[in-house]
Amino acid sequence: QLQLVESGGALVQPGGSLRLSCVASGRTFIDYAMGWFRQPPGKEREFVAAISRTGGVTNITESVKGRFTISRDTAKNTVHLQMNNLKPEDTAVYYCAAGISIPVVIDGRGNYWGQGTQVTVSS
């Protein structure tokens, strides 16, 4: 079983930055594509970003493109989501996900999931 633990969520002002981290354990990290989803208050969970097993391919949802980047550190079994120029509409619980490929991660049905970390963007 793959375990995922997120960290880095916080209250931040509009225009600020945050870096979320997700540490994976229990299985071989490079066997999995990784991703981030978010669930805004009162809404369904939505895809944010994904990265391939080697880190060579990324997929970023249009609404955050140019502001968010995803990266992975194989030596530390960690995936990051760097979020810049945050907006109030970025407020959500952010979830780390792992799947066998980027399409599987984006689909969401075959993923392992973390417990989530709260990001609140407010002045």
Side-chain angles (χ1 to χ4, degrees):
Q1 192 79 353
L2 184 69
Q3 288 88 39
L4 304 173
V5 179
E6 303 99 330
S7 62
L11 170 64
V12 62
Q13 292 188 342
S17 297
L18 277 178
R19 188 192 197 203
L20 304 184
S21 298
C22 171
V23 179
S25 63
R27 290 279 180 93
T28 304
F29 184 58
I30 60 171
D31 285 348
Y32 295 91
M34 302 296 295
W36 289 93
F37 286 69
R38 66 186 181 185
Q39 186 165 17
K43 297 183 179 181
E44 294 187 354
R45 187 155 55 186
E46 61 185 21
F47 169 75
V48 176
I51 188 166
S52 64
R53 289 181 289 174
T54 62
V57 178
T58 61
N59 188 309
I60 310 291
T61 197
E62 199 63 35
S63 63
V64 305
K65 201 168 286 186
R67 299 190 296 121
F68 290 14
T69 57
I70 186 171
S71 62
R72 64 191 294 162
D73 184 340
T74 300
K76 296 182 179 179
N77 287 1
T78 301
V79 60
H80 299 288
L81 184 69
Q82 178 66 43
M83 305 186 295
N84 299 327
N85 190 22
L86 283 160
K87 303 176 181 181
E89 52 264 41
D90 296 318
T91 294
V93 178
Y94 282 72
Y95 295 92
C96 179
I100 60 172
S101 65
I102 286 182
V104 168
V105 169
I106 294 173
D107 177 80
R109 288 176 289 178
N111 288 347
Y112 291 99
W113 296 97
Q115 83 289 349
T117 186
Q118 177 70 47
V119 172
T120 302
V121 185
S122 175
S123 55

